[in-house]
Amino acid sequence: MKREMDTCDKRMETIVITASFYDDIHKFVSSVGWDLIFGLNLLLRKPDGAWDPSNAEELMKYTVQSGYKMGGWELGNEPNNYGRKFGCKVGARQLVKDFHTLNSLLGEYPQFDDTEVLGPSVTQLSTDDYFQRFVNAGGGEVVTALTYHQYYEDGSVAKLEDFYNPYILNILYRQIQKGMNLTRAAGTKAKLWLGETSSAWRSGAPGLSDRYVAAFMWLDKLGMSARDGFNAVVRQSFYGGNYSLLDNETCAPNPDYWLTVLFKLLVGNKVLRVISPDSLGKIRAYAHCAETRKSGYPEGSVTVYVMNIDQSPVTIELPDFARNSPLHVYNMLPADDDLLSKFVLLNGKKLQMEDDKTIPNLLRPVKTTRTVLIPALSYSFIVVPDARLHCCM
């Protein structure tokens, strides 16, 4: 049996997060209603190779003393790449032991009883078997959610047509199934998260990952991961890199920002089954109980979102509902009919901030019945307000 090495050669650059910067993080997170998950430094090691939790303990004490709330803790980031990046190796079995140490530390603070514990946060599952070794060593018992990262391709070589190529989009499907199979085989009941994800690695594809065309990868990922049992998807990134939701120079919203906001307004957590199409071809559809608190739609409403990555328009019917059921349609197209546009049209209206703090009202659907036309290379949200679906009540 190959022995896992747990060594570091101390060639890493030291980066210090000050107390004032940590305060600013919490101030921002609290002001926008987010939950903070903090990534702890796994590369702080003892002479015997075990994780040194002293720095984490200092941080936790400060967090409690400051009255800050935490959404969760992550230990390490992409540990399967440590050897290549840092000349440091932390084996999967050792990482499980390190999580035991983390859990013991968290147990000293009742304030953290309900926080998430995330790991191993490896790179793509196709890279190596680190995730499998972590799970087989009991990793599913030391975390609340098993995490891995997912990107479709290398941002330095990505092409426009890749962003709506069914074969490339289906890379996610294969990786989801692999993750599900590995956890089932190990008998763990831990949740699965995409702990970091976007369109392309190397900070995204320049001129592509921040344009309208990137929405196909993002929306398909949200739908497919929810349908196949993933509890959370962590987007990379809000700011910074070519895949950011906000423009790096102006902070103006990129197209994926508007998609994300509309998704949050219309799509609830409960996933419904879509029989046709199969969502692996050029017409992809997903359905959820509608989000009612943010949208104002009545309980029992249903939201269906459809991607048409074909070159021709398609007509969508919802045969499970009455023929005269009102349908509220939110269609999103690129400005100037350009897939590389940094602006998106919602039912023909260009989406822009009204001022530095105010987003426009997105809940202005086109109302119709029976069928919905989805233009070529576009996506739509369709809400059925009077569906009165019992499981959504």
Side-chain angles (χ1 to χ4, degrees):
M1 178 182 295
K2 183 179 179 181
R3 182 175 179 270
E4 292 182 325
M5 300 301 293
D6 306 299
T7 59
C8 296
D9 66 5
K10 303 298 182 183
R11 289 192 285 114
M12 294 78 70
E13 178 185 359
T14 299
I15 299 174
V16 177
I17 295 179
T18 64
S20 61
F21 184 70
Y22 189 66
D23 294 338
D24 288 341
I25 293 173
H26 277 279
K27 181 179 179 180
F28 173 77
V29 168
S30 176
S31 68
V32 297
W34 289 358
D35 294 320
L36 176 64
I37 296 172
F38 193 90
L40 298 168
N41 191 347
L42 180 62
L43 292 174
L44 297 175
R45 315 298 295 177
K46 295 179 178 180
D48 64 359
W51 177 56
D52 183 352
S54 56
N55 183 257
E57 183 176 16
E58 184 178 355
L59 180 67
M60 290 177 188
K61 286 180 179 178
Y62 183 80
T63 301
V64 171
Q65 291 169 359
S66 302
Y68 295 143
K69 295 182 180 180
M70 294 296 300
W73 303 90
E74 182 181 52
L75 182 57
N77 181 67
E78 300 184 350
N80 56 318
N81 265 355
Y82 283 179
R84 180 177 64 84
K85 286 186 174 181
F86 308 119
C88 177
K89 295 182 180 180
V90 178
R93 288 184 178 275
Q94 179 58 52
L95 182 56
V96 172
K97 296 177 183 178
D98 296 339
F99 268 101
H100 278 293
T101 302
L102 172 60
N103 286 324
S104 296
L105 179 58
L106 291 172
E108 298 177 10
Y109 303 94
Q111 296 88 343
F112 302 144
D113 284 349
D114 296 325
T115 57
E116 301 284 356
V117 178
L118 307 177
S121 300
V122 299
T123 55
Q124 326 269 32
L125 289 189
S126 57
T127 304
D128 57 34
D129 64 349
Y130 193 103
F131 182 89
Q132 181 177 3
R133 288 186 280 119
F134 179 81
V135 173
N136 291 345
E141 313 308 317
V142 296
V143 298
T144 60
L146 291 160
T147 56
Y148 61 87
H149 301 173
Q150 195 277 332
Y151 295 86
Y152 294 98
E153 58 182 337
D154 186 339
S156 65
V157 297
K159 302 182 294 295
L160 173 66
E161 56 269 24
D162 294 346
F163 281 71
Y164 53 90
N165 182 329
Y167 178 81
I168 291 178
L169 292 180
N170 292 342
I171 290 172
L172 172 64
Y173 176 78
R174 295 190 289 273
Q175 292 181 349
I176 285 177
Q177 296 308 308
K178 183 173 182 178
M180 299 288 284
N181 291 337
L182 290 175
T183 55
R184 288 196 194 103
T188 179
K189 295 182 180 179
K191 299 175 292 186
L192 276 171
W193 285 25
L194 288 181
E196 177 189 311
T197 189
S198 193
S199 54
W201 64 85
R202 294 191 205 279
S203 293
L208 292 168
S209 292
D210 60 350
R211 307 303 167 99
Y212 172 88
V213 72
F216 298 121
M217 286 183 171
W218 182 221
L219 185 58
D220 197 50
K221 181 170 294 181
L222 291 173
M224 189 177 293
S225 58
R227 181 198 64 189
D228 292 347
F230 276 58
N231 289 74
V233 174
V234 181
R235 168 71 185 227
Q236 173 87 323
S237 64
F238 182 64
Y239 176 83
N242 296 301
Y243 40 37
S244 62
L245 296 181
L246 301 183
D247 184 89
N248 291 331
E249 295 182 2
T250 67
C251 284
N254 285 326
D256 274 5
Y257 173 88
W258 298 114
L259 166 59
T260 304
V261 173
L262 192 60
F263 188 96
K264 287 286 189 179
L265 287 173
L266 299 178
V267 180
N269 289 330
K270 183 172 288 187
V271 183
L272 306 174
R273 183 183 179 192
V274 176
I275 297 176
S276 178
D278 65 4
S279 292
L280 292 176
K282 293 189 174 183
I283 310 301
R284 297 169 180 242
Y286 304 95
H288 294 231
C289 295
E291 167 57 55
T292 57
R293 293 170 300 171
K294 299 173 183 176
S295 68
Y297 283 113
E299 291 188 7
S301 301
V302 170
T303 298
V304 180
Y305 45 107
V306 182
M307 289 172 42
N308 177 12
I309 53 175
D310 203 351
Q311 300 287 344
S312 302
V314 295
T315 299
I316 297 296
E317 297 184 354
L318 304 178
D320 291 333
F321 305 106
R323 290 178 62 84
N324 61 347
S325 291
L327 304 177
H328 290 195
V329 181
Y330 301 81
N331 178 249
M332 303 190 83
L333 282 165
D336 302 319
D337 198 29
D338 181 3
L339 292 176
L340 294 179
S341 176
K342 293 202 72 171
F343 296 97
V344 61
L345 306 179
L346 174 57
N347 290 334
K349 181 179 179 181
K350 188 176 183 179
L351 294 179
Q352 292 177 294
M353 296 290 291
E354 294 185 358
D355 55 45
D356 287 345
K357 297 182 179 180
T358 308
I359 67 172
N361 179 17
L362 303 185
L363 297 175
R364 294 179 177 176
V366 170
K367 298 178 181 180
T368 185
T369 59
R370 293 194 179 183
T371 62
V372 177
L373 180 70
I374 312 294
L377 295 172
S378 77
Y379 58 94
S380 295
F381 295 86
I382 306 167
V383 180
V384 189
D386 66 349
R388 300 184 181 89
L389 204 63
H390 180 72
C391 66
C392 296
M393 299 294 282

